[in-house]
Each structure stands twice: as structure tokens, then as C-alpha cells.
Amino acid sequence: MHMTTIILAAGKGTRMRSEIPKILHKIAGKPLLEHVYDMSRHLENNQIKIVYGHGADLVRDQLTHLQADWIEQKQQLGTGHAVQQVAGQIGDKDIVLILYGDVPLLKLATVRTLLTHVSEKSLALLTVNLENPKGYGRIVRDHDGHIEKIVEEKDATNDQKLIKEVNTGIMAVRGDKLKTWLEQLKPNNAQGEYYLTDIIEMAVNEGIKITATQPECEDEVMGVNNREQLSHLERVYQKEQALSLMESGVTLRDPSRFDLRGKLELFGEDIEIDINVIFEGVNRIGKNIKIGANNRIINSIIGDNVQILDNCVIEDGVIGAGSVIGPFARLRPLVTLANDVKIGNFVELKKSMIAEHSKVNHLSYIGDSTVGSHVNIGAGTITCNYDGANKYQTIIEDGAFIGSDTQLVAPVTVGKNATIGAGSTVTKDCPAEQLTLSRVKQFSVSGWQRPVKKEK
Ligand code: UD1
Ligand code: CA
């Protein structure tokens, strides 16, 4: 069976009140349309076609990585008109699946069930019963319960408005049938639009059976029309991810205050995550890890037994097993920590490697550096890696002890087991095993008097 999936995504989304086209708004950091696309990528033998229109340039620009055929609908004259734009590219024997780009949480399992009901003689329709069906197309059934047609809210009689079974817009139909019906659509309705839903009545008139299936949960077929709905679906999605992580051995102190915007790959169990933690991109983490409150961790690898204390930001980092970071540490991109490293409060690291058992415990900036093992970097130490035009490297070899408030003016190397006296400004390489100091000699003035206020 060959499939064509058409994702309708041309609409404006007026109620979002946004300059950004609706389908580019994000859930869990990923555009709405991409959620639909990713789900439909799992269908075998499937060609994806995206009908886009509103904000065309932005949409194409930001979603170039989607492997789909893009069809522009220049004027948005209705869902039927949108599908008509693709008609020329549909094979007669294709199974055509219609999805909406602004319905992001539809599940693959629901689609697979829907697809079992489509054939030459049957059209498969996804419907849902809503307590408040306002605004949706209603499913009109005859006395025997067979579907007769779909009536849009604006065209519905008062009796029809009482119907609680509504059209989700999602359906599957044979290509040849769809194409003939599309040709017959007329905009004879309250909105003057070409309604895709009119094909239901045409199908019934031809003796085609309409089979309705339902999603497991209503949120799967909820569209995003405004920011309230966007936030609702964000929480639904996050809760699902949180549950799945908990099943895999992650403790979440509060699943409603946890956000995963991307992938979290687990390589072990017993991960404890306090509140307000955000993971972005692809993160991989080991076992027996503790992550404190208010952390943002982006595209990083975290080894076993690591502790990340409160309020850290870690981006593109590799954290070796047993290391302890924070509270209040910032690891800018490309930091690699070996095992058992300690990074303390108000420390900023950038593009640096730090070997085993080394410590940067307080108030330091280490950038463009290679730090050996068993190094101790005192409070307030700064690598001066930038002269305003170029960046330079600092190398600190194994066992070095850098006194507090040292400035290491790069390029510079501190040798093995070297000691730097506190308050030094280091501009030349420091020999191994020696003490290096650059500090004004201390002196005291005896008999010196503090100034006193003049009398007026
Ligand atoms: C549509 C259905 C309605 C259903 C509801 C479910 C029709 C006529 N009505 O109504 O029965 O209950 O969805 O949400 O089909 N789009 C285009 N081009 C267009 C018009 C729409 O690409 O010219 C896209 C939109 O971007 C959106 C989807 O089609 O993703 C649905 O459009 P929307 O305007 O939301 O349809 P409704 O009027 O809500
Ligand atoms: Ca809608």
C-alpha cells in the first residue's frame, strides 16, 4: 500500500495574535508542524506533502530540514481547497491521510487504527465526543447510526448544534475517490469556503461506508488556536514525558515543574530531579545522579554519580562521573570535565578541559584552558584569554595550585605542581614545582593617622 499524507498548514491562526505563523509556535521546543511531521514519518511507504501558505517564507525557512513536498496554497479558501492543491500529485491507489499541522499531539497508534478502516469501499474518519462541541463540524448520523454528513457549526441547525460527536478533521481515503470528490466541491455555505468535509456526503451517496474511530484521549485531536490551548497541550505533552521518565527510574520531585524540550537518553536508574529543571536538545545521562532545583541543561552528557546543585546552566558539556557542579555555576559550550571534578559557586567555564580530581570552587572564570588533574584553582582566579581581538590558551599542568585572585594572562602555561601566590598577575610561563609570585611587597607605615573630618 502506498500512502500520501497531506498535512494542512496554510491557515493564519489569527487568534494567536502573533507575527509568527501558528504552526511555527512550539511545544516542547519543537514547532507544532514538526510534531505532526515526526509522527507521520513512522508510517511506512509514505510520501508527506505539506500545504503551506500563511507566512510562507518563514515556514520554509525554519523547516527546511523536513523531508516533504511543499505545496503552497496562495489563498486560503478552505480545507477542501487546500487538499485540491495536492490533487495532481495523488496516485489513484494511494491511501491519502489528511492531518492538520496545528494538531500536534495526535498519536501514531490512533492513526494506525484509523488506517485499518480505509479501503475502496470505505472512508475512515476520526471523530471525538466533546462536552462542549462549539465551533466544530458536527457528525450527522441517520436513524441506524450511519454517518450521513458533516455540518459545520456556522451551517448547523439548532438541533444539529446539540450533537456532541465532532469532526477532528483527520481522515483517510482512497486517492481516486478523493480526487473525484474534490472536483465537485462548491463553496455554497455560510463561510463561502471549499469544505473538505463535504466529501463525506458525496461518499455516502456513492454507497461508500464511513467508519468513525476515536482517539484514546481528547487532547490528541485538540488543535492550537490560541496561546491558552498552546500552553495546555504543552503541559499535556510534558506530563506524558515525565510519566515515561518516572517509569524508567527517574524521580521527579514535581512532574508538573519539569520540562524536556528534546530527548533525554537514560543510561541508568536512580536519577533524582528537583523542581524547575529544563533539559533542551539531546542529553544523555548515567545512573545515580542528583539534579537540584532550577537547572537548565542543554545538549550535554552527564556521567554516573554526578551532582548538579541548584541554579546551574550547562550547555554542550561533558561531565565526568562523580563530579559536583554548582550551585550557581555556568558551563558555557564545550567544557569537558573528567571524573571527580568540583566546580563551585559563581564559576564560569568555557571551552576548557579539566582533568580528574581538580577543583574550581569559587568565583572563577576559566576559558580556553586545559587543566590537569589534582589542580586547585583558588577563589577569584581568572584566565585573561582575550585581548580584545584574539583568544589565547591557558595550560595548567597536573598538581598545580593557583592562589586566590590570580589573573592568568594567556597564552601562558603553569607547570606541574607549580604554586602561584595569591593575588598574582601571571604573564609568563610558571616553572614546574616552583612558587611563582607577582605581587607588590607588603609594607606598613608606622605612626600613620587616619584623616578626620574638618570642623565647620
Ligand atoms: C475544520 C473542519 C471541522 C472540524 C475542525 C476541527 C472543515 C470545513 N471543517 O474546521 O469540521 O471540526 O476543522 O478542528 O474542514 N487550512 C489550510 N488552508 C485553508 C484552510 C485551512 O491549510 O484554506 C488548514 C489550517 O491551517 C488548519 C486546518 O486546515 O490546520 C483546519 O483549518 P481550520 O480553519 O482550523 O478549520 P475549522 O474551520 O476549524
Ligand atoms: Ca481549527
Side-chain angles (χ1 to χ4, degrees), residues 7-11 23 33 50-57 59-60 69-74 76:
I7 306 178
L8 302 186
I23 48 157
L33 176 62
I50 301 172
V51 180
Y52 71 113
H54 188 79
D57 292 346
V59 172
R60 286 303 303 269
D69 298 329
W70 293 86
I71 298 101
E72 188 169 356
Q73 185 194 20
K74 289 222 163 71
Q76 284 89 58

Side-chain angles (χ1 to χ4, degrees), residues 44-277:
E44 299 73 23
N45 211 357
N46 180 29
Q47 185 60 39
I48 300 173
K49 300 189 185 283
I50 301 172
V51 180
Y52 71 113
H54 188 79
D57 292 346
L58 264 181
V59 172
R60 286 303 303 269
D61 211 52
Q62 292 193 20
L63 296 174
T64 41
H65 54 288
L66 306 194
Q67 289 168 36
D69 298 329
W70 293 86
I71 298 101
E72 188 169 356
Q73 185 194 20
K74 289 222 163 71
Q75 268 185 299
Q76 284 89 58
L77 304 179
T79 49
H81 182 256
V83 178
Q84 278 172 352
Q85 311 307 304
V86 193
Q89 306 177 26
I90 297 172
D92 284 346
K93 290 181 180 161
D94 283 8
I95 296 300
V96 181
L97 171 68
I98 313 273
L99 303 175
Y100 285 0
D102 58 357
V103 177
L105 302 192
L106 183 65
K107 290 228 159 69
L108 184 62
T110 300
V111 170
R112 287 204 193 280
T113 307
L114 182 84
L115 289 172
T116 60
H117 295 285
V118 60
S119 71
E120 260 174 285
K121 299 194 180 72
S122 159
L123 184 153
L125 190 64
L126 191 67
T127 71
V128 67
N129 290 295
L130 294 182
E131 217 24 70
N132 176 14
K134 194 161 182 276
Y136 289 89
R138 307 298 204 281
I139 307 296
V140 180
R141 290 178 183 262
D142 67 16
H143 294 300
D144 300 325
H146 298 123
I147 293 177
E148 280 184 329
K149 59 179 174 181
I150 298 175
V151 182
E152 293 304 300
E153 166 99 15
K154 286 187 177 137
D155 304 296
T157 64
N158 284 337
D159 277 354
Q160 287 168 337
K161 282 183 186 157
L162 298 175
I163 299 171
K164 295 195 163 169
E165 187 185 9
V166 307
N167 174 32
T168 64
I170 290 146
M171 63 176 89
V173 51
R174 268 268 300 213
D176 46 3
K177 302 284 178 199
L178 176 66
K179 286 190 285 183
T180 16
W181 299 327
L182 284 174
E183 283 168 12
Q184 299 167 42
L185 292 181
K186 296 203 177 61
N188 298 332
N189 51 59
Q191 304 185 78
E193 284 183 4
Y194 295 88
Y195 287 169
L196 180 62
T197 43
D198 286 350
I199 71 168
I200 302 301
E201 198 174 359
M202 295 177 193
V204 171
N205 290 339
E206 267 184 45
I208 303 282
K209 196 178 155 212
I210 314 292
T211 309
T213 55
Q214 280 78 37
E216 203 165 287
C217 145
E218 197 177 297
D219 291 319
E220 268 187 67
V221 294
M222 288 292 112
V224 172
N225 297 302
N226 57 41
R227 296 190 198 236
E228 195 264 325
Q229 291 166 338
L230 183 70
S231 72
H232 171 73
L233 293 186
E234 174 84 37
R235 281 345 297 168
V236 170
Y237 188 78
Q238 292 297 349
K239 193 170 171 197
E240 237 169 63
Q241 296 190 124
L243 287 174
S244 129
L245 286 172
M246 290 191 281
E247 278 167 19
S248 310
V250 178
T251 293
L252 293 172
R253 287 286 162 236
D254 183 354
S256 66
R257 283 180 289 175
F258 169 78
D259 284 76
L260 171 54
R261 301 175 190 155
K263 263 195 201 149
L264 182 56
E265 295 175 14
L266 305 177
F267 290 83
E269 298 172 348
D270 295 310
I271 295 129
E272 270 184 51
I273 300 180
D274 212 328
I275 60 166
N276 296 335
V277 171

Side-chain angles (χ1 to χ4, degrees), residues 6 18 21 290 330 406 443-444:
I6 303 174
S18 174
K290 289 191 168 61
R330 177 168 182 215
T406 294
F443 65 99
S444 304

Side-chain angles (χ1 to χ4, degrees), residues 24-57:
L24 291 182
H25 281 265
K26 290 172 179 169
I27 282 183
K30 186 162 87 176
L32 299 177
L33 176 62
E34 201 170 337
H35 281 267
V36 182
Y37 169 86
D38 283 349
M39 184 277 292
S40 49
R41 285 276 285 175
H42 290 97
L43 297 166
E44 299 73 23
N45 211 357
N46 180 29
Q47 185 60 39
I48 300 173
K49 300 189 185 283
I50 301 172
V51 180
Y52 71 113
H54 188 79
D57 292 346

